[in-house]
Amino acid sequence: MADYFPSDVVHGRDIVSWGAVDRSRPDGQSDELIGFVTARIVLAKESEIVDMLGCDSAKSDQTLVYVLTLGVVEAYRSLGIASSLIREVIKYASSIPTCRAVYLHVISYNNPAINLYKKMSFKCIRRLQGFYLINGQHYDSFLFLYYVNGGRSPCSPLEFLAAIVSYMRSGFTSVAARLCKNGSRKISRRAKCKESHSLVSATPNKRNLTVECTGYECV
C-alpha cells in the first residue's frame, strides 16, 4: 500500500515535494520511500513558456508550477505511483489562484514518461535540441504543459483570423460613421450658407451681415 504526503524541501513556499511510501512491509519493517516528486513555483512572465500562455498569464502576479524531479523505485513501477504523484502536483497547482499551468521536461528517449504525460492530458508543446548533457553527450528534451485554473494557450490561427475580421469590421463601421457624420455636417453647413445668402439679399442695406462660404466651412 502506498501513501502520499507533502513535505517542504527548503524553507519557504517556492519548492514542495510529495513522497510515496510502502506501508505494507512485513515483520515490522519501517516504511519505505518508493517514489517522490519535487516541484517549484515560478513567475509566468519569467518562464520559458510565457509565449505558450494567454495574455493574462504574462501579468506580474501569474504563476506556474514546474516539476523538477519525478522518480519511482524500479520494483514499484507500472503500478500507477508516478501518475498519482503527478496528480498531487496538479491538485496543488489548482489550489493556487494565480497558477495557470504545470510544466516539465522529459528526455527524448524516456518513452514510458512521455506516454504517461500524454495519457494524463499533458500537451507536448516543444522539442528542445541538446537540452540535456549526460556523460558528455547531448540529448533532446520534450516540453510538456498542463493548464489549470482557466489557463489557456494563445489564440489559435482561426481565433486570430476571427479577431482580425472583427477588428476590420469595427474599423469599417467607425470609418463609415465618420463619413456619415461629416456628410451631415456638410449638408447642414450648406443649408446654413444658403439661408444666410437669402438673408443678405433680402436686407442689402445691412452690410455687417456678410457671409462667405469657403469649402466645407461657413464663416
Side-chain angles (χ1 to χ4, degrees):
M1 176 180 178
D3 289 340
Y4 307 93
F5 59 92
S7 61
D8 292 330
V9 178
V10 296
H11 297 292
R13 297 185 303 173
D14 290 342
I15 298 179
V16 65
S17 69
W18 289 259
V21 297
D22 183 3
R23 299 191 184 278
S24 62
R25 302 184 69 189
D27 302 327
Q29 297 181 15
S30 60
D31 298 336
E32 178 185 7
L33 181 65
I34 58 177
F36 69 96
V37 62
T38 302
R40 178 183 180 185
I41 301 175
V42 299
L43 289 175
K45 66 178 183 179
E46 297 178 358
S47 73
E48 61 186 296
I49 62 167
V50 66
D51 60 316
M52 296 303 302
L53 302 169
C55 295
D56 68 326
S57 295
K59 296 178 181 178
S60 59
D61 63 337
Q62 302 302 300
T63 59
L64 305 168
V65 171
Y66 175 63
V67 177
L68 296 166
T69 57
L70 172 65
V72 177
V73 175
E74 186 173 0
Y76 290 86
R77 292 175 185 171
S78 301
L79 297 177
I81 295 173
S83 58
S84 295
L85 288 169
I86 290 297
R87 276 194 290 269
E88 291 294 326
V89 177
I90 293 174
K91 186 191 304 182
Y92 172 71
S94 300
S95 71
I96 304 173
T98 59
C99 185
R100 291 295 175 265
V102 176
Y103 75 106
L104 51 89
H105 295 90
V106 182
I107 199 165
S108 58
Y109 60 73
N110 191 347
N111 292 322
I114 292 171
N115 293 332
L116 168 67
Y117 296 125
K118 287 182 177 179
K119 185 178 180 181
M120 298 187 70
S121 300
F122 277 76
K123 295 182 179 181
C124 184
I125 60 173
R126 195 168 294 159
R127 180 167 184 153
L128 305 173
Q129 302 290 331
F131 183 82
Y132 291 104
L133 178 60
I134 303 175
N135 297 327
Q137 185 172 352
H138 288 278
Y139 296 91
D140 294 350
S141 166
F142 291 112
L143 183 57
F144 281 87
L145 179 67
Y146 186 97
Y147 293 107
V148 298
N149 296 332
R152 55 167 293 177
S153 61
C155 295
S156 66
L158 183 60
E159 291 174 321
F160 183 69
L161 179 61
I164 291 179
V165 172
S166 177
Y167 177 78
M168 291 178 65
R169 284 179 178 175
S170 63
F172 288 144
T173 301
S174 177
V175 171
R178 289 181 181 179
L179 289 175
C180 290
K181 189 174 182 180
N182 288 338
S184 298
R185 287 179 178 176
K186 292 177 185 178
I187 294 172
S188 177
R189 286 168 179 169
R190 287 174 181 172
K192 288 181 179 180
C193 288
K194 290 181 180 179
E195 182 181 354
S196 299
H197 275 302
S198 62
L199 178 62
V200 172
S201 60
T203 55
N205 295 328
K206 295 182 180 181
R207 297 179 182 179
N208 59 331
L209 294 180
T210 303
V211 179
E212 298 178 0
C213 287
T214 308
Y216 300 119
E217 297 181 353
C218 291
V219 182

